[in-house]
Structures are given as C-alpha cells and as structure tokens.
Amino acid sequence: QVQLVESGGGLVQAGGSLRLSCVPSGYIFSINVMGWYRQAPGKQRELVATITNSGTTNYADSVKGRFTISRDNAKNTVCLQMNSLKPEDTAVYYCNAQGLQGTFRPFNDWGQGTQVTVSS
C-alpha cells in the first residue's frame, strides 16, 4: 500500500493563492506519474494537472496560466501552486500517484483530499 498525504488547503479570497503539497510513503520502487484532481459537491472528479518523471506536464484548460505543478523526484513529492484563484476552483483536491511498489506491482493510489475554498 502507498500512502499519499495532502496538505496546504484552506480558505482564501478570490485572487489569492494556495500551495498544495503531496507526500507519498510506503514500499515504493518508483512513481511514474503524479497529479492533482478535484471534485466539487455534486460534480464529477476532474483532472487538474499531472507531471511525469521526465517533467512533462498536463493541465486542465480551466487552470492553465494560473496553476503550476512541480515535482521533486528525489523525494517523490508533488506540489501545486495555485494563483489567481476563483470561486469555481472550490473543491476537494486529491493527490494521485501511479508507479511500482517495491515488489514491482503497479499501483494507482489516492490521498484523502484537502479542501480548497475560494470566497467571492
């Protein structure tokens, strides 16, 4: 089992910034892709951003130019810098990681989520 712990959520006013962090732990051989997803009440979970080991990033159109995902490969951690936040960014944000456990068994795990609330 791989554990992912998110932090950095909170309440901010529109136009403000937050920085989310995701720290994995467990018997891990490698993590190939890490990303952030979000889910607002009554809506489906959606992709926010992903990043590979090589540094390739992918962003949802709704956050391009405002959010930046980064990764520390030595620690297998991932951060999401969120600027110019909008009320529609309000959601629970989930960290996701895909890779291989120390047994070389593939994994695709999720964190518990961290709440981001943007007031208008």
Side-chain angles (χ1 to χ4, degrees):
Q1 184 180 18
V2 174
Q3 297 82 42
L4 303 173
V5 179
E6 305 107 327
S7 62
L11 173 64
V12 298
Q13 294 182 326
S17 298
L18 286 173
R19 185 175 179 86
L20 306 183
S21 178
C22 177
V23 181
S25 64
Y27 191 40
I28 301 169
F29 177 76
S30 66
I31 298 178
N32 300 319
V33 183
M34 297 189 73
W36 290 95
Y37 296 73
R38 66 187 182 187
Q39 187 169 22
K43 300 183 67 176
Q44 295 182 346
R45 186 175 298 184
E46 64 177 354
L47 180 148
V48 177
T50 61
I51 186 167
T52 69
N53 264 340
S54 64
T56 301
T57 57
N58 181 44
Y59 295 93
D61 288 341
S62 60
V63 307
K64 287 181 179 178
R66 300 188 298 120
F67 292 8
T68 302
I69 189 170
S70 61
R71 180 173 180 175
D72 184 337
N73 287 332
K75 301 178 180 179
N76 283 329
T77 60
V78 65
C79 292
L80 184 69
Q81 179 67 45
M82 305 185 294
N83 298 326
S84 301
L85 284 163
K86 304 174 181 179
E88 51 262 44
D89 295 318
T90 295
V92 177
Y93 284 69
Y94 296 91
C95 179
N96 172 258
Q98 303 172 41
L100 296 175
Q101 298 180 16
T103 59
F104 297 98
R105 181 183 296 272
F107 69 87
N108 185 350
D109 290 336
W110 299 84
Q112 291 292 316
T114 184
Q115 177 70 48
V116 171
T117 303
V118 184
S119 65
S120 59

